[in-house]
Amino acid sequence: VGAETVREVEPGELVVIADGRLESRRPWGAAIRPAVCAFEEVYFARPDSRMGGRTVHDTRRALGAELAREAPADADVVVGVPDSSIPAAIGYAEALGLPFDMGLVKNRYVGRSFIQPGQAARDTAVVQKLAAVDSVVAGRRVVLVDDSLVRGTTARHLIQLLRQAGAVRVHMRSASPPYIRSCHYGIDTSRSEELAAARHDVETIRRLSGADSLQYLSMDGLMRALGRDGWCLACFGGPYPVPVEQDVVHHVP
Ligand code: SF4
């Protein structure tokens, strides 16, 4: 909209704009315990947004670099899942001195997968939405970096696409820890029973996804990449910052 960035609105701060005046209020005083959604940094936020003084793009690169330190792979090329995983894949490739390339590309002419009703339609949309570039992956050992593995269905389809395009190995890496619990704060991810890491151990998810190897970023790695405290990490197994009813209905089918 052509607006100029002044600064971030702080946790617990209320900014009121009225009659051409801008006023900052802190209705809760100093009794604020920040718990910013870590999944914003991992997946939701725009890469050009600034959170905590750093672009989301740079944070995602840092997530990829941490992942490379914790989970290197013997490979020829690093591929990210467009679009949200590209910065993490670049960070991963840089840290290991491997080439990054666009082994998966987005089809701009089909709709977004999350607006499709039902899991089967969403899965089909994922396959239609992305295509593998065979000149990048054929005959190569590929590291596929995704920002997260939530249901695991996307990973399975993408690994299949890469193999069909001639990849000889596909090593799957997640630039965030296992997503094991539902969000109760408004992010419509999935019910617990649909979360791959809530139901299976890493080896089972690897087998089901068809990857040659699978590794996730650790919670420590996530914290190092985020670089500061004050996060909600509940879906990665941290405490829910505000108590929730475990049986709350949070998912609208
Ligand atoms: S539980 Fe929800 S608010 Fe908390 S990090 Fe996960 S997605 Fe974000």
Side-chain angles (χ1 to χ4, degrees), residues 151-183:
R151 289 188 304 262
T153 45
T154 307
R156 192 171 69 236
H157 287 299
L158 297 183
I159 291 165
Q160 219 169 15
L161 277 181
L162 291 169
R163 289 205 196 279
Q164 282 164 359
V168 292
R169 291 264 186 287
V170 182
H171 299 288
M172 185 81 213
R173 296 290 182 269
S174 166
S176 60
Y179 195 106
I180 56 172
R181 292 198 301 194
S182 299
C183 177

mmCIF file of all heavy atoms in Angstrom, residues 151-183:
data_model
loop_
_atom_site.group_PDB
_atom_site.id
_atom_site.type_symbol
_atom_site.label_atom_id
_atom_site.label_comp_id
_atom_site.label_asym_id
_atom_site.label_seq_id
_atom_site.Cartn_x
_atom_site.Cartn_y
_atom_site.Cartn_z
ATOM 1 N N ARG A 151 1.420 -32.926 8.016
ATOM 2 C CA ARG A 151 0.712 -34.212 7.811
ATOM 3 C C ARG A 151 1.611 -35.238 7.132
ATOM 4 O O ARG A 151 1.361 -36.434 7.213
ATOM 5 C CB ARG A 151 -0.542 -33.987 6.972
ATOM 6 C CG ARG A 151 -1.644 -33.252 7.711
ATOM 7 C CD ARG A 151 -2.904 -33.243 6.874
ATOM 8 N NE ARG A 151 -2.632 -32.655 5.572
ATOM 9 C CZ ARG A 151 -2.891 -31.387 5.258
ATOM 10 N NH1 ARG A 151 -3.437 -30.593 6.142
ATOM 11 N NH2 ARG A 151 -2.626 -30.911 4.062
ATOM 12 N N GLY A 152 2.605 -34.776 6.417
ATOM 13 C CA GLY A 152 3.525 -35.705 5.762
ATOM 14 C C GLY A 152 3.079 -36.098 4.365
ATOM 15 O O GLY A 152 3.830 -36.732 3.617
ATOM 16 N N THR A 153 1.867 -35.741 3.988
ATOM 17 C CA THR A 153 1.356 -36.153 2.681
ATOM 18 C C THR A 153 2.054 -35.402 1.543
ATOM 19 O O THR A 153 2.361 -35.983 0.505
ATOM 20 C CB THR A 153 -0.175 -35.902 2.585
ATOM 21 O OG1 THR A 153 -0.440 -34.595 3.100
ATOM 22 C CG2 THR A 153 -0.945 -36.919 3.381
ATOM 23 N N THR A 154 2.335 -34.119 1.764
ATOM 24 C CA THR A 154 3.012 -33.338 0.730
ATOM 25 C C THR A 154 4.389 -33.926 0.457
ATOM 26 O O THR A 154 4.786 -34.101 -0.698
ATOM 27 C CB THR A 154 3.162 -31.868 1.174
ATOM 28 O OG1 THR A 154 1.885 -31.382 1.545
ATOM 29 C CG2 THR A 154 3.733 -31.002 0.076
ATOM 30 N N ALA A 155 5.112 -34.259 1.524
ATOM 31 C CA ALA A 155 6.468 -34.808 1.372
ATOM 32 C C ALA A 155 6.438 -36.067 0.516
ATOM 33 O O ALA A 155 7.264 -36.244 -0.388
ATOM 34 C CB ALA A 155 7.056 -35.105 2.746
ATOM 35 N N ARG A 156 5.462 -36.921 0.771
ATOM 36 C CA ARG A 156 5.392 -38.178 0.015
ATOM 37 C C ARG A 156 5.218 -37.893 -1.477
ATOM 38 O O ARG A 156 5.910 -38.482 -2.315
ATOM 39 C CB ARG A 156 4.230 -39.028 0.549
ATOM 40 C CG ARG A 156 4.258 -40.443 0.027
ATOM 41 C CD ARG A 156 3.245 -41.342 0.705
ATOM 42 N NE ARG A 156 1.883 -40.976 0.350
ATOM 43 C CZ ARG A 156 0.936 -40.672 1.235
ATOM 44 N NH1 ARG A 156 1.200 -40.669 2.516
ATOM 45 N NH2 ARG A 156 -0.282 -40.354 0.839
ATOM 46 N N HIS A 157 4.333 -36.977 -1.807
ATOM 47 C CA HIS A 157 4.095 -36.657 -3.219
ATOM 48 C C HIS A 157 5.330 -36.024 -3.862
ATOM 49 O O HIS A 157 5.675 -36.338 -5.000
ATOM 50 C CB HIS A 157 2.913 -35.700 -3.348
ATOM 51 C CG HIS A 157 1.599 -36.357 -3.093
ATOM 52 N ND1 HIS A 157 1.131 -37.404 -3.848
ATOM 53 C CD2 HIS A 157 0.654 -36.133 -2.152
ATOM 54 C CE1 HIS A 157 -0.044 -37.794 -3.397
ATOM 55 N NE2 HIS A 157 -0.356 -37.042 -2.358
ATOM 56 N N LEU A 158 6.001 -35.150 -3.116
ATOM 57 C CA LEU A 158 7.152 -34.457 -3.703
ATOM 58 C C LEU A 158 8.316 -35.422 -3.934
ATOM 59 O O LEU A 158 9.024 -35.331 -4.936
ATOM 60 C CB LEU A 158 7.583 -33.294 -2.802
ATOM 61 C CG LEU A 158 6.524 -32.205 -2.641
ATOM 62 C CD1 LEU A 158 7.051 -31.067 -1.794
ATOM 63 C CD2 LEU A 158 6.068 -31.681 -4.005
ATOM 64 N N ILE A 159 8.506 -36.338 -2.990
ATOM 65 C CA ILE A 159 9.587 -37.317 -3.153
ATOM 66 C C ILE A 159 9.307 -38.192 -4.376
ATOM 67 O O ILE A 159 10.207 -38.473 -5.172
ATOM 68 C CB ILE A 159 9.747 -38.148 -1.856
ATOM 69 C CG1 ILE A 159 10.308 -37.236 -0.758
ATOM 70 C CG2 ILE A 159 10.635 -39.367 -2.081
ATOM 71 C CD1 ILE A 159 10.183 -37.778 0.636
ATOM 72 N N GLN A 160 8.043 -38.545 -4.542
ATOM 73 C CA GLN A 160 7.636 -39.317 -5.724
ATOM 74 C C GLN A 160 7.932 -38.526 -7.007
ATOM 75 O O GLN A 160 8.485 -39.072 -7.964
ATOM 76 C CB GLN A 160 6.135 -39.564 -5.625
ATOM 77 C CG GLN A 160 5.696 -40.920 -6.078
ATOM 78 C CD GLN A 160 4.237 -41.139 -5.679
ATOM 79 O OE1 GLN A 160 3.522 -40.189 -5.331
ATOM 80 N NE2 GLN A 160 3.815 -42.372 -5.724
ATOM 81 N N LEU A 161 7.572 -37.249 -7.009
ATOM 82 C CA LEU A 161 7.824 -36.401 -8.188
ATOM 83 C C LEU A 161 9.314 -36.376 -8.529
ATOM 84 O O LEU A 161 9.707 -36.489 -9.687
ATOM 85 C CB LEU A 161 7.370 -34.958 -7.917
ATOM 86 C CG LEU A 161 5.905 -34.588 -8.104
ATOM 87 C CD1 LEU A 161 5.699 -33.106 -7.799
ATOM 88 C CD2 LEU A 161 5.473 -34.878 -9.539
ATOM 89 N N LEU A 162 10.156 -36.213 -7.473
ATOM 90 C CA LEU A 162 11.601 -36.120 -7.702
ATOM 91 C C LEU A 162 12.147 -37.441 -8.241
ATOM 92 O O LEU A 162 12.993 -37.457 -9.133
ATOM 93 C CB LEU A 162 12.315 -35.723 -6.406
ATOM 94 C CG LEU A 162 12.039 -34.289 -5.929
ATOM 95 C CD1 LEU A 162 12.559 -34.073 -4.518
ATOM 96 C CD2 LEU A 162 12.674 -33.278 -6.892
ATOM 97 N N ARG A 163 11.657 -38.549 -7.707
ATOM 98 C CA ARG A 163 12.129 -39.858 -8.199
ATOM 99 C C ARG A 163 11.696 -40.072 -9.651
ATOM 100 O O ARG A 163 12.474 -40.553 -10.474
ATOM 101 C CB ARG A 163 11.582 -40.979 -7.312
ATOM 102 C CG ARG A 163 12.213 -41.013 -5.920
ATOM 103 C CD ARG A 163 12.134 -42.416 -5.348
ATOM 104 N NE ARG A 163 12.378 -42.423 -3.927
ATOM 105 C CZ ARG A 163 13.588 -42.384 -3.357
ATOM 106 N NH1 ARG A 163 14.667 -42.306 -4.111
ATOM 107 N NH2 ARG A 163 13.718 -42.417 -2.039
ATOM 108 N N GLN A 164 10.443 -39.695 -9.949
ATOM 109 C CA GLN A 164 9.971 -39.843 -11.344
ATOM 110 C C GLN A 164 10.813 -38.997 -12.293
ATOM 111 O O GLN A 164 10.984 -39.334 -13.456
ATOM 112 C CB GLN A 164 8.500 -39.423 -11.451
ATOM 113 C CG GLN A 164 7.538 -40.485 -10.931
ATOM 114 C CD GLN A 164 6.139 -39.929 -10.680
ATOM 115 O OE1 GLN A 164 5.890 -38.743 -10.879
ATOM 116 N NE2 GLN A 164 5.240 -40.795 -10.228
ATOM 117 N N ALA A 165 11.337 -37.883 -11.773
ATOM 118 C CA ALA A 165 12.164 -37.004 -12.617
ATOM 119 C C ALA A 165 13.616 -37.487 -12.658
ATOM 120 O O ALA A 165 14.462 -36.837 -13.272
ATOM 121 C CB ALA A 165 12.097 -35.576 -12.100
ATOM 122 N N GLY A 166 13.906 -38.615 -11.990
ATOM 123 C CA GLY A 166 15.225 -39.236 -12.132
ATOM 124 C C GLY A 166 16.171 -39.090 -10.957
ATOM 125 O O GLY A 166 17.337 -39.517 -11.050
ATOM 126 N N ALA A 167 15.717 -38.508 -9.841
ATOM 127 C CA ALA A 167 16.599 -38.396 -8.664
ATOM 128 C C ALA A 167 16.980 -39.793 -8.187
ATOM 129 O O ALA A 167 16.113 -40.670 -8.076
ATOM 130 C CB ALA A 167 15.892 -37.627 -7.548
ATOM 131 N N VAL A 168 18.281 -40.011 -7.904
ATOM 132 C CA VAL A 168 18.703 -41.351 -7.486
ATOM 133 C C VAL A 168 18.617 -41.528 -5.966
ATOM 134 O O VAL A 168 18.536 -42.643 -5.466
ATOM 135 C CB VAL A 168 20.134 -41.693 -7.987
ATOM 136 C CG1 VAL A 168 20.130 -41.835 -9.497
ATOM 137 C CG2 VAL A 168 21.161 -40.645 -7.550
ATOM 138 N N ARG A 169 18.661 -40.439 -5.229
ATOM 139 C CA ARG A 169 18.460 -40.452 -3.772
ATOM 140 C C ARG A 169 17.663 -39.206 -3.421
ATOM 141 O O ARG A 169 17.879 -38.147 -4.013
ATOM 142 C CB ARG A 169 19.783 -40.355 -3.012
ATOM 143 C CG ARG A 169 20.664 -41.563 -3.130
ATOM 144 C CD ARG A 169 20.449 -42.505 -1.929
ATOM 145 N NE ARG A 169 21.393 -43.609 -1.976
ATOM 146 C CZ ARG A 169 21.331 -44.631 -2.832
ATOM 147 N NH1 ARG A 169 20.363 -44.675 -3.725
ATOM 148 N NH2 ARG A 169 22.221 -45.588 -2.812
ATOM 149 N N VAL A 170 16.779 -39.319 -2.427
ATOM 150 C CA VAL A 170 16.092 -38.129 -1.927
ATOM 151 C C VAL A 170 16.189 -38.133 -0.396
ATOM 152 O O VAL A 170 15.639 -39.012 0.271
ATOM 153 C CB VAL A 170 14.609 -38.067 -2.362
ATOM 154 C CG1 VAL A 170 13.977 -36.767 -1.851
ATOM 155 C CG2 VAL A 170 14.473 -38.154 -3.884
ATOM 156 N N HIS A 171 16.964 -37.189 0.129
ATOM 157 C CA HIS A 171 17.109 -37.048 1.572
ATOM 158 C C HIS A 171 16.197 -35.908 2.015
ATOM 159 O O HIS A 171 16.349 -34.773 1.553
ATOM 160 C CB HIS A 171 18.563 -36.738 1.939
ATOM 161 C CG HIS A 171 19.500 -37.818 1.515
ATOM 162 N ND1 HIS A 171 19.555 -39.032 2.144
ATOM 163 C CD2 HIS A 171 20.401 -37.882 0.488
ATOM 164 C CE1 HIS A 171 20.462 -39.801 1.559
ATOM 165 N NE2 HIS A 171 20.978 -39.127 0.536
ATOM 166 N N MET A 172 15.279 -36.213 2.901
ATOM 167 C CA MET A 172 14.291 -35.212 3.341
ATOM 168 C C MET A 172 14.788 -34.536 4.610
ATOM 169 O O MET A 172 15.266 -35.201 5.533
ATOM 170 C CB MET A 172 12.974 -35.963 3.620
ATOM 171 C CG MET A 172 11.817 -35.099 3.970
ATOM 172 S SD MET A 172 11.075 -34.418 2.487
ATOM 173 C CE MET A 172 10.522 -32.847 3.118
ATOM 174 N N ARG A 173 14.699 -33.207 4.657
ATOM 175 C CA ARG A 173 15.099 -32.461 5.859
ATOM 176 C C ARG A 173 14.018 -31.442 6.193
ATOM 177 O O ARG A 173 13.537 -30.730 5.311
ATOM 178 C CB ARG A 173 16.427 -31.714 5.624
ATOM 179 C CG ARG A 173 17.636 -32.627 5.359
ATOM 180 C CD ARG A 173 18.034 -33.398 6.611
ATOM 181 N NE ARG A 173 19.200 -34.248 6.409
ATOM 182 C CZ ARG A 173 19.149 -35.531 6.014
ATOM 183 N NH1 ARG A 173 17.984 -36.105 5.767
ATOM 184 N NH2 ARG A 173 20.261 -36.230 5.882
ATOM 185 N N SER A 174 13.666 -31.382 7.474
ATOM 186 C CA SER A 174 12.672 -30.405 7.917
ATOM 187 C C SER A 174 13.361 -29.295 8.703
ATOM 188 O O SER A 174 14.073 -29.583 9.685
ATOM 189 C CB SER A 174 11.623 -31.088 8.810
ATOM 190 O OG SER A 174 10.859 -30.109 9.492
ATOM 191 N N ALA A 175 13.138 -28.056 8.300
ATOM 192 C CA ALA A 175 13.809 -26.918 8.951
ATOM 193 C C ALA A 175 13.090 -26.467 10.221
ATOM 194 O O ALA A 175 13.266 -25.334 10.663
ATOM 195 C CB ALA A 175 13.933 -25.759 7.963
ATOM 196 N N SER A 176 12.288 -27.356 10.793
ATOM 197 C CA SER A 176 11.691 -27.109 12.118
ATOM 198 C C SER A 176 11.496 -28.473 12.776
ATOM 199 O O SER A 176 11.476 -29.503 12.089
ATOM 200 C CB SER A 176 10.365 -26.360 11.993
ATOM 201 O OG SER A 176 9.446 -27.099 11.224
ATOM 202 N N PRO A 177 11.339 -28.467 14.107
ATOM 203 C CA PRO A 177 11.205 -29.753 14.815
ATOM 204 C C PRO A 177 9.887 -30.451 14.466
ATOM 205 O O PRO A 177 8.990 -29.834 13.872
ATOM 206 C CB PRO A 177 11.227 -29.330 16.296
ATOM 207 C CG PRO A 177 11.818 -27.973 16.325
ATOM 208 C CD PRO A 177 11.419 -27.329 15.033
ATOM 209 N N PRO A 178 9.762 -31.729 14.874
ATOM 210 C CA PRO A 178 8.509 -32.441 14.604
ATOM 211 C C PRO A 178 7.296 -31.685 15.138
ATOM 212 O O PRO A 178 7.299 -31.214 16.273
ATOM 213 C CB PRO A 178 8.698 -33.775 15.361
ATOM 214 C CG PRO A 178 10.182 -33.965 15.395
ATOM 215 C CD PRO A 178 10.765 -32.587 15.519
ATOM 216 N N TYR A 179 6.294 -31.569 14.300
ATOM 217 C CA TYR A 179 5.066 -30.840 14.645
ATOM 218 C C TYR A 179 4.129 -31.857 15.292
ATOM 219 O O TYR A 179 3.529 -32.685 14.611
ATOM 220 C CB TYR A 179 4.472 -30.277 13.351
ATOM 221 C CG TYR A 179 3.412 -29.224 13.535
ATOM 222 C CD1 TYR A 179 3.684 -27.886 13.290
ATOM 223 C CD2 TYR A 179 2.119 -29.570 13.928
ATOM 224 C CE1 TYR A 179 2.712 -26.910 13.435
ATOM 225 C CE2 TYR A 179 1.144 -28.603 14.087
ATOM 226 C CZ TYR A 179 1.443 -27.276 13.843
ATOM 227 O OH TYR A 179 0.472 -26.314 14.001
ATOM 228 N N ILE A 180 4.036 -31.804 16.614
ATOM 229 C CA ILE A 180 3.378 -32.930 17.288
ATOM 230 C C ILE A 180 2.042 -32.597 17.946
ATOM 231 O O ILE A 180 1.350 -33.491 18.395
ATOM 232 C CB ILE A 180 4.310 -33.579 18.345
ATOM 233 C CG1 ILE A 180 4.786 -32.540 19.363
ATOM 234 C CG2 ILE A 180 5.479 -34.290 17.686
ATOM 235 C CD1 ILE A 180 5.540 -33.159 20.532
ATOM 236 N N ARG A 181 1.725 -31.284 18.041
ATOM 237 C CA ARG A 181 0.462 -30.960 18.704
ATOM 238 C C ARG A 181 -0.305 -29.894 17.936
ATOM 239 O O ARG A 181 0.281 -29.051 17.264
ATOM 240 C CB ARG A 181 0.739 -30.473 20.127
ATOM 241 C CG ARG A 181 1.268 -31.603 20.986
ATOM 242 C CD ARG A 181 1.135 -31.277 22.429
ATOM 243 N NE ARG A 181 1.861 -30.065 22.763
ATOM 244 C CZ ARG A 181 2.137 -29.702 24.009
ATOM 245 N NH1 ARG A 181 1.746 -30.445 25.005
ATOM 246 N NH2 ARG A 181 2.796 -28.600 24.241
ATOM 247 N N SER A 182 -1.615 -29.943 18.062
ATOM 248 C CA SER A 182 -2.462 -28.975 17.359
ATOM 249 C C SER A 182 -2.287 -27.585 17.941
ATOM 250 O O SER A 182 -1.968 -27.434 19.121
ATOM 251 C CB SER A 182 -3.929 -29.356 17.507
ATOM 252 O OG SER A 182 -4.149 -30.607 16.956
ATOM 253 N N CYS A 183 -2.547 -26.603 17.085
ATOM 254 C CA CYS A 183 -2.576 -25.217 17.558
ATOM 255 C C CYS A 183 -3.984 -24.908 18.044
ATOM 256 O O CYS A 183 -4.956 -25.268 17.395
ATOM 257 C CB CYS A 183 -2.209 -24.277 16.415
ATOM 258 S SG CYS A 183 -2.327 -22.539 16.920
#
